[in-house]
């Protein structure tokens, strides 16, 4: 909603107000409303169904947090699946690893890809990479028929878990993701705001624990997302140690060894409430 040229996610109980100059694009795709705003402080901002996905100025916090903790601790990440992520930011980060030879991008909405290439060239810069295979599919269906024991890392860069994305936090989805991963494979996803989406975080964490032996959470920042503090869940069926084994070939703007350690550090309440009794199955 735009009020006096301020945009905020007015369907959320807490939001970040972004002062805007105007709207550059607004269209309903087959799946959702896609809108690009031109803002004063954050550059262009992409909204999907009125929710902030990407801003030019702060997108790297999100894309680096969803990518580097998982890719850097994997011993040899080669084949990767990115779910959602049609803007290309996660693919850009994944392709910084020289070991990666194939990335599948499973995006339901082709228009997100087209619009991102036009308005966010620095985010979408690897969407034409020869290492990338774009699959215009619903990831929930796609993962059901994915070949077992195939992927080293699966990154779920989805919208909030509602509408067509609701099934991305189900037990069945995580089971299928677990099967598609190799034995030492790593799953990572964004898991929302701990301030206002704790219910969804809890469902996601509990369901993930039914499908993966090891599940951990990370807390990061995304200044333009509601609440600014954003969570991520990382899972595997093999014990993963958080030591960095691979460094990205390209430069990062946020993630580094010091941040890496801190991303896994949990606030006391989160530790007590969700991680104190975690026992490996
Ligand atoms: N990441 C979207 C995360 C969810 C944001 N939620 C919100 N603003 N209510 C997908 C886009 C980044 N590649």
């Amino acid at each position: 909603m735009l009020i006096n040229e301020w945009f905020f996610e007015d369907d959320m109980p807490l939001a970040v107000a972004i002062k805007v100059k105007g709207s550059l694009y607004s269209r309903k795709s087959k799946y959702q409303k896609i809108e690009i705003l031109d803002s004063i402080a954050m550059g262009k901002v992409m909204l999907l169904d009125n929710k902030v996905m990407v801003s030019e100025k702060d997108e790297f916090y999100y894309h680096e947090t969803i990518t580097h903790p998982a890719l850097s601790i994997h011993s040899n990440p080669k084949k990767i699946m990115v779910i959602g992520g049609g803007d290309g930011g996660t693919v850009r980060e994944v392709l910084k690893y020289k070991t990666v030879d194939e990335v599948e991008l499973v995006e339901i909405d082709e228009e997100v890809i087209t619009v991102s290439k036009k308005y966010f060239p620095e985010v979408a810069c690897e969407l034409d990479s020869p290492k990338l295979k774009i699959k215009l599919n619903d990831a929930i269906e796609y993962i059901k028929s994915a070949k077992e024991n195939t992927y080293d890392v699966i990154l779920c860069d989805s919208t909030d878990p509602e509408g067509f994305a609701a099934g991305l936090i189900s037990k069945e989805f995580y089971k299928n993701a677990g099967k598609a991963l190799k034995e030492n494979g790593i799953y990572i996803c964004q898991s929302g705001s701990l301030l206002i989406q704790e219910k969804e975080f809890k469902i996601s964490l509990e369901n993930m624990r039914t499908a993966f032996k090891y599940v951990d959470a990370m807390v990061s920042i995304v200044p333009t997302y509601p609440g600014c503090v954003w969570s991520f869940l990382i899972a595997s069926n093999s014990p993963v140690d958080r030591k960095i084994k691979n460094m990205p070939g390209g430069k990062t703007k946020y993630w580094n060894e010091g941040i890496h350690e801190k991303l896994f550090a949990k606030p006391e309440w989160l530790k007590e409430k969700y991680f104190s009794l975690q026992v490996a199955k």
Side-chain angles (χ1 to χ4, degrees):
M1 179 189 269
L2 284 175
I3 294 180
N4 294 331
E5 308 302 316
W6 284 94
F7 167 82
F8 60 94
E9 297 184 24
D10 69 328
D11 46 356
M12 293 298 217
L14 173 75
V16 170
I18 304 173
K19 185 107 175 168
V20 301
K21 296 186 240 177
S23 173
L24 301 173
Y25 180 94
S26 180
R27 219 185 91 92
K28 260 203 149 109
S29 75
K30 196 170 148 202
Y31 299 97
Q32 56 208 336
K33 185 175 166 216
I34 305 176
E35 191 162 7
I36 314 287
L37 303 175
D38 193 12
S39 79
I40 292 172
M42 304 308 286
K44 283 176 236 145
V45 180
M46 176 159 66
L47 313 176
L48 294 181
D49 282 342
N50 224 38
K51 293 189 160 69
V52 177
M53 296 291 123
V54 172
S55 97
E56 281 182 304
K57 192 93 179 263
D58 77 343
E59 55 83 15
F60 64 92
Y61 287 102
Y62 176 89
H63 291 126
E64 293 188 16
T65 306
I66 201 168
T67 306
H68 299 297
L71 272 281
S72 70
I73 64 175
H74 191 285
S75 52
N76 189 21
K78 285 169 118 46
K79 190 166 161 87
I80 315 293
M81 185 193 291
V82 175
I83 293 166
D87 52 73
T90 301
V91 169
R92 178 194 66 201
E93 295 306 313
V94 165
L95 285 172
K96 286 182 180 166
Y97 291 81
K98 299 288 170 257
T99 53
V100 171
D101 46 43
E102 194 186 311
V103 184
E104 280 177 14
L105 176 69
V106 189
E107 166 63 62
I108 198 167
D109 193 345
E110 190 174 15
E111 279 194 48
V112 173
I113 299 178
T114 315
V115 167
S116 302
K117 282 184 176 172
K118 177 156 184 220
Y119 291 97
F120 296 89
E122 283 170 24
V123 180
C125 58
E126 293 287 357
L127 287 177
D128 291 315
S129 164
K131 290 185 178 175
L132 183 69
K133 293 199 164 63
I134 296 179
K135 312 278 179 186
L136 297 173
N137 290 96
D138 176 351
I140 295 160
E141 291 306 314
Y142 190 82
I143 206 124
K144 265 188 211 162
S145 45
K147 208 163 149 247
E148 288 187 20
N149 206 19
T150 302
Y151 300 88
D152 296 302
V153 183
I154 298 179
L155 306 99
C156 185
D157 178 8
S158 63
T159 51
D160 293 356
E162 52 195 31
F164 62 79
L168 294 173
I169 62 167
S170 72
K171 287 182 188 160
E172 194 201 352
F173 178 78
Y174 291 136
K175 283 250 151 60
N176 292 331
K179 280 192 210 148
L181 281 167
K182 287 187 193 148
E183 210 182 309
N184 65 340
I186 298 175
Y187 181 86
I188 184 157
C189 63
Q190 69 94 0
S191 46
S193 160
L194 291 171
L195 290 167
I196 53 172
Q197 295 172 315
E198 194 185 332
K199 202 173 104 220
E200 293 85 341
F201 172 84
K202 184 170 186 276
I203 295 170
S204 194
L205 175 66
E206 283 171 356
N207 288 347
M208 211 177 257
R209 282 179 171 154
T210 68
F212 291 97
K213 286 192 189 129
Y214 305 93
V215 182
D216 202 358
M218 297 187 303
V219 183
S220 190
I221 44 168
V222 187
T224 51
Y225 285 179
C228 309
V229 176
W230 215 250
S231 73
F232 296 80
L233 287 165
I234 182 163
S236 182
N237 276 316
S238 296
V240 264
D241 82 87
R242 298 173 191 161
K243 231 179 62 228
I244 296 174
K245 296 162 202 78
N246 268 310
M247 285 298 274
K251 272 177 78 164
T252 54
K253 279 164 98 171
Y254 175 53
W255 182 87
N256 57 30
E257 290 172 44
I259 300 277
H260 183 81
E261 290 290 311
K262 295 213 167 59
L263 287 172
F264 289 97
K266 284 169 207 53
E268 210 47 30
W269 72 266
L270 185 68
K271 223 164 43 179
E272 274 174 25
K273 199 162 168 187
Y274 295 112
F275 291 90
S276 60
L277 292 174
Q278 191 182 4
V279 186
K281 272 188 277 174

